[in-house]
Amino acid sequence: PFLAFTRSAFVAKRPNYDQPNWLGVALAFGTSAALWALLVKQHNGDVMEYERRREERQHKCTGCS
């Protein structure tokens, strides 16, 4: 078969584990940290909105409405 003599681009070069891809590592950790920060910020906003609406529901003032 003809396919036996072809080389895949993925195995043409062996990975060099002595020199890690620090840019890729930094991008991976940076992206993860940014996503976690956004998640925590969104969560805190949601909790504040929940607390505000809960207090609004429990408010029994006749002069407000």
Side-chain angles (χ1 to χ4, degrees), residues 49-60:
E49 180 68 14
Y50 170 78
E51 294 291 335
R52 185 188 68 79
R53 290 185 184 194
R54 190 179 71 173
E55 287 180 9
E56 194 174 87
R57 268 195 323 267
Q58 292 175 350
H59 187 72
K60 301 290 187 205

Side-chain angles (χ1 to χ4, degrees), residues 6-28:
T6 61
R7 287 176 55 178
S8 170
F10 297 105
V11 294
K13 184 176 129 182
R14 291 195 181 274
N16 183 3
Y17 296 112
D18 294 332
Q19 291 291 328
N21 181 2
W22 291 114
L23 178 61
V25 171
L27 282 173

